[in-house]
Amino acid sequence: MFLPTTPKELDQLNWPKLDVILVTGDAYIDSPFIGVAIIGKVLVDKGFRVGIIAQPDMNSKTDISRLGEPALFWGITGGCVDSMVANYTALKKRRKKDDYTPGGMNTRRPDRAVIAYSNLVRKYFKKTRPIVLGGIEASLRRIAHYDFWSNKMRRSILFDAKADYLLFGMAHSTIVKFATALKEDKPPEVLNGVAFISKEKKGKELPSFEAVQKDKKDYIKSFHMFYQNNDPITAQRLCQQHNDRYLILNPPESFSTTKELDHIHSLEFERDLHPFHKKAGTVRALDTIRFSIPTHYGCYGECNFCAISVHQGRTVRYRSEESIIKEAADISHLEDFKGYITDLGGPTANMYGFECKKKLKKGACLDKRCLFPSPCKSLAPDHSNYIRLIQKVEKLPGIKKVFISSGIRYDIILNDKKNGGAYLEKIVNDNVSGQLKIAPEHTMPHVLNLMGKQPVDLLLKFKWQFDALSKQSGKKQFLTYYLIAAHPGCRMNDMKELKKFTTQKLKITPEQVQVFTPAPSTYSTLMYYTGLDPFSMTPLFVEKNPKEKEKQKKIVTVKSYKPYGKKGN
């Protein structure tokens, strides 16, 4: 069932009043890939009455008030993507398209949506129930942070949104405990995964907002402390002073178990756009997720430009085979299903089915990473569970093909001496839809080091194996390479070397090249703002001129590159 979004639906459910109203920057897609849909379904499963208001009109009371006022709290999210990332390119140009808006035009999502929606609620409901922030925009902006679009340090979004609480991370279990606490008139401030504002200092203190605003080295110190306290097993409570008040960050909630994830995904999702929105057109996001299946959450890749480890965590949690197979069987019975599972994966597809045993007991290491600069021996990658899962889904009645569309880590495949080769052979023969996504991001050693990415010799080794297996199978298949231009530390000459590599070694002109976007809560953004390598504290070159950033990209993407004027810096 869809969660109600109109008064008529409330009448049909005989719900005179809602406990929780969720407000989101996306159209309401009822899918296990959509965070607000999961949160709503989890709450309803526990007996709470929940409604959703998606992309409300910012200029009237009509939308925000159509479900009345909640008995417990308002839950506000910017949607599946930070609203500033959704609304602007890396060159700060306004995006015309929005994959999560009916009709595809970017006309419904306000800038800084979390703040905008919180203000909208306050405007029309003066003394209302608590306003609670969640989702990726709130989660990644939960401490004082550098904001690329205004080019300045901003306070925790809790202060700017004038909200009461912030639930960070996935919040699968926190949201239920939080709603229960409010219902029972108990203090939610004691719950893990909750952030709030206090007059008193509580916990390990980060450098204050005023300090990080004045001193970039204090900002680096603050981010290190914040990043190192994101594992629920080892994290301490943190606090950060903002003028005369304190932001309090409780330790993260415990990661969901396989049993808990299985239950979440057993809740019935419509896998469709709510009828209320359909009159305005289709949403492009459905093309990707409607017949796809999420197998796990979290990522221990820890690429410095990626915020997944801060939001979903560095520990991979995966669903059981039985849960995933049941979901595939359910999809096969959908009326418009043509037999093709478009993806069976997660943030990184081939992290399914194994984890570091030490990490599961003691938490993520503070002094080293799982894959960088080389895979840790304690990780022991094993693709056998993933191979078996794919094979079982393929055997289901009505399933013609299972594709792996999520990106994969080729260093993990190469490091799995027992089953890595069998996994690669399996997907090359059966599960590649013409192109397989991989993300080398660059080829120059010093840039790769700053990105936290594996050396380029592994890329060439993997390409050779992929090409040989594709030829052996008689299929014309290709690797799609994701590359980044203008990452901190990258100069024009580095992009020229990358162009030379792609032309001579990869024999391609790449199309998937993006200009680095300094999104909140990543180490690469820290580098961009401070001009320092935060690990060695040595100065970095950072390209901040939009025209020069675009030149870096075009060096690689144009088929016959001609240098722009003077030689690169």
Side-chain angles (χ1 to χ4, degrees), residues 305 410 439-443 448 451 453 482-485 498 514:
F305 49 81
Y410 48 84
E441 308 300 1
H442 214 286
T443 57
L448 289 171
M451 291 178 167
K453 295 292 291 188
Y482 287 95
L483 302 167
I484 295 178
L498 174 57
Q514 62 179 11

Side-chain angles (χ1 to χ4, degrees), residues 89-93 485-486 492 495 513-516 543-558 561 564:
T89 70
L91 300 178
K92 297 185 179 179
K93 296 178 181 178
M492 205 72 74
M495 296 306 290
V513 180
Q514 62 179 11
V515 174
F516 168 68
E543 184 57 79
K544 296 191 175 181
N545 184 309
K547 290 183 179 179
E548 296 301 307
K549 292 181 183 181
E550 185 69 12
K551 287 179 183 178
Q552 283 203 20
K553 176 180 177 178
K554 286 184 177 180
I555 286 174
V556 181
T557 56
V558 295
Y561 169 68
Y564 291 80

Side-chain angles (χ1 to χ4, degrees), residues 81-148:
V81 183
D82 182 283
S83 61
M84 299 306 288
V85 175
N87 288 348
Y88 297 93
T89 70
L91 300 178
K92 297 185 179 179
K93 296 178 181 178
R94 181 82 183 182
R95 296 188 194 273
K96 296 180 180 179
K97 302 291 184 181
D98 188 328
D99 289 352
Y100 294 91
T101 295
M105 299 305 294
N106 187 17
T107 57
R108 298 290 302 180
R109 189 193 310 273
D111 290 352
R112 309 194 188 284
V114 169
I115 298 172
Y117 293 149
S118 183
N119 289 339
L120 186 65
V121 170
R122 294 274 188 220
K123 181 178 180 180
Y124 294 109
F125 298 92
K126 301 298 182 183
K127 294 183 179 180
T128 188
R129 298 299 294 160
I131 292 177
V132 182
L133 311 183
I136 195 163
E137 181 169 341
S139 186
L140 300 186
R141 295 176 180 270
R142 61 189 185 262
I143 65 168
H145 59 280
Y146 170 69
D147 179 73
F148 167 65

Side-chain angles (χ1 to χ4, degrees), residues 24 107 111 153 251 305 337 358 371 397 403 456 462 469 477 480:
T24 175
T107 57
D111 290 352
M153 293 295 300
F305 49 81
F337 180 66
K358 290 183 179 179
L371 296 178
F403 293 114
V456 75
F462 179 79
L469 288 170
Q477 299 180 147
T480 296

Side-chain angles (χ1 to χ4, degrees), residues 318-385:
Y318 43 88
R319 298 165 59 191
S320 69
E321 283 185 1
E322 293 75 17
S323 170
I324 295 167
I325 290 168
K326 183 183 182 303
E327 184 171 345
D330 291 342
I331 290 175
S332 72
H333 294 116
L334 294 176
E335 187 176 347
D336 52 348
F337 180 66
K338 305 299 183 184
Y340 301 97
I341 299 294
T342 49
D343 190 23
L344 190 68
T348 299
N350 61 317
M351 288 185 183
Y352 176 82
F354 62 91
E355 243 300 357
C356 170
K357 293 180 180 179
K358 290 183 179 179
K359 189 200 299 183
L360 294 174
K361 290 182 180 180
K362 299 181 179 180
C365 296
L366 296 178
D367 59 343
K368 60 181 178 180
R369 299 185 176 188
C370 294
L371 296 178
F372 180 79
S374 60
C376 177
K377 293 180 180 179
S378 297
L379 182 61
D382 181 0
H383 289 78
S384 61
N385 290 330

Side-chain angles (χ1 to χ4, degrees), residues 344-345 348-352 382-388 390 404-410 412-414 416 418-432 436 462 469:
L344 190 68
T348 299
N350 61 317
M351 288 185 183
Y352 176 82
D382 181 0
H383 289 78
S384 61
N385 290 330
Y386 196 17
I387 295 171
R388 185 173 62 249
I390 297 169
I404 307 302
S405 301
S406 299
I408 64 169
R409 288 284 301 227
Y410 48 84
I412 302 178
I413 295 175
L414 296 174
D416 180 2
K418 187 175 181 180
N419 296 299
Y423 168 74
L424 182 57
E425 184 175 1
K426 170 72 181 80
I427 63 173
V428 166
N429 287 336
D430 304 318
N431 310 110
V432 176
L436 180 66
F462 179 79
L469 288 170

